[in-house]
């Protein structure tokens, strides 16, 4: 049986890669892709803790499903924001969307 | 080495490589496709963890719906590649140093902690089934489920409001 910590390390690695993508990419759509990867890494954690804990407690899987729904709504609103910004400013580069920058 | 371990290592390599490809790809379409590959391997991880319902939801919702939405928006806006810009010069080495420190801390905590590993419960066939998940979702976790439905409704309304064109306005 695979130790729990290996799943946690894999999940941490995926989360860190996603976080780096969020912080380093300039394309707003690519930033949303990084957020998706981070949510996915969280889901691996939830399901593996469910599997290695008390299997009759379904909280891990239920949480994972709720994270799916949150990810779907986040993508819908995020992409709508990107389209809206592209219409008004004709760019998707995060550095150039600086209307509210002080 | 048991087949479990071999499968885990191969899948973990594929998942990390796909995530790195997502990170380093210049073209956003390739990034999205690498992310689809990553989601597919993660779905196989869920099957290894005896959660088949989550695995299939992952494939249909993440790799199917969400990534298709991404690809549509990328191609709709026509912004697959962006001109490269010079980043701050000290940013990249600093990021590598901080990432190494973070990875070291995480590895130390996870590997060298004194852990009393209890017995791992045997895989129970019924607990990963859609029936068990649905019963937990509609009995014990009914309120979070309803909150999720309200959240989806808000997201739908928000997406429509953000992208709708105002009639009679400047057509921004």
């Amino acid at each position: 049986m695979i130790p729990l910590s290996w799943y946690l390390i894999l999940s941490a690695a995926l989360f860190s890669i996603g976080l780096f993508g969020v912080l380093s990419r300039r394309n707003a759509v690519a930033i949303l892709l990084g957020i998706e990867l981070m949510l996915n890494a969280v889901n691996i954690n939830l399901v593996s803790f469910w599997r290695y804990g008390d299997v009759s407690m379904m909280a891990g899987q239920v949480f994972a499903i709720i994270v799916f729904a949150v990810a779907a709504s986040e993508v819908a609103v995020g992409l709508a924001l990107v389209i809206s910004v592209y219409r008004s400013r004709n760019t998707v580069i995060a550095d150039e969307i600086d209307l509210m920058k002080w | 080495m048991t087949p479990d371990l071999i499968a885990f290592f191969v899948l973990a390599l594929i998942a990390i490589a796909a995530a790195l490809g997502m990170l380093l790809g210049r073209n956003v379409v390739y990034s999205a496709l690498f992310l689809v590959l990553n989601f597919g391997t993660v779905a196989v991880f869920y099957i290894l963890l005896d959660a088949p319902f989550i695995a299939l939801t992952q494939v249909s919702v993440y790799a199917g719906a969400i990534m298709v939405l991404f690809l549509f928006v990328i191609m709709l806006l026509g912004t697959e590649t962006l001109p490269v810009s010079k980043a701050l010069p000290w940013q990249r080495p600093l990021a590598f140093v901080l990432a190494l420190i973070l990875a070291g801390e995480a590895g130390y905590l996870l590997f060298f902690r004194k852990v009393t590993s209890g017995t791992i419960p045997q895989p129970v066939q019924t607990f990963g089934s859609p029936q068990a998940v649905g019963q937990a979702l509609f009995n014990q976790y009914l309120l979070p489920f309803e909150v999720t439905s309200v959240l989806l409704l808000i997201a739908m309304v928000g997406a429509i409001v953000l992208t709708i064109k105002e009639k009679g306005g400047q057509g921004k």
Side-chain angles (χ1 to χ4, degrees), chain A residues 2 9 29 42 45 57 75 77 96 98-99:
Chain A
I2 303 154
I9 289 170
V29 180
V42 170
N45 260 0
M57 302 288 286
V75 163
V77 175
E96 295 177 6
D98 54 359
L99 192 64

Side-chain angles (χ1 to χ4, degrees), chain B residues 62-134:
Chain B
Y62 259 116
I66 291 182
M67 297 317 291
V68 167
L69 191 61
F70 264 109
L71 288 174
F72 263 113
V73 169
I74 292 166
M75 293 181 182
L76 182 70
L77 299 183
T79 54
E80 289 92 354
T81 53
L82 293 178
V84 282
S85 75
K86 56 179 179 58
L88 300 173
W90 45 265
Q91 199 174 22
R92 207 161 279 262
L94 182 66
F96 274 115
V97 170
L98 289 177
L100 278 181
I101 291 174
L102 180 66
E105 281 174 351
Y108 176 78
L109 277 180
L110 291 174
F111 272 126
F112 300 109
R113 201 167 39 109
K114 285 266 186 284
V115 64
T116 55
S117 62
T119 54
I120 297 161
Q122 287 300 306
V124 185
Q125 285 311 108
T126 53
F127 282 131
S129 72
Q131 190 186 359
V133 177

Side-chain angles (χ1 to χ4, degrees), chain A residues 11-12 18-19 21-22 24-25 39-40 46 64 66 73 88 101-102:
Chain A
S11 156
L19 181 62
V22 169
S24 70
R25 296 300 292 261
L39 285 170
N40 207 31
L46 289 174
I66 290 176
S73 41
S88 62
K101 199 169 170 185
W102 183 62

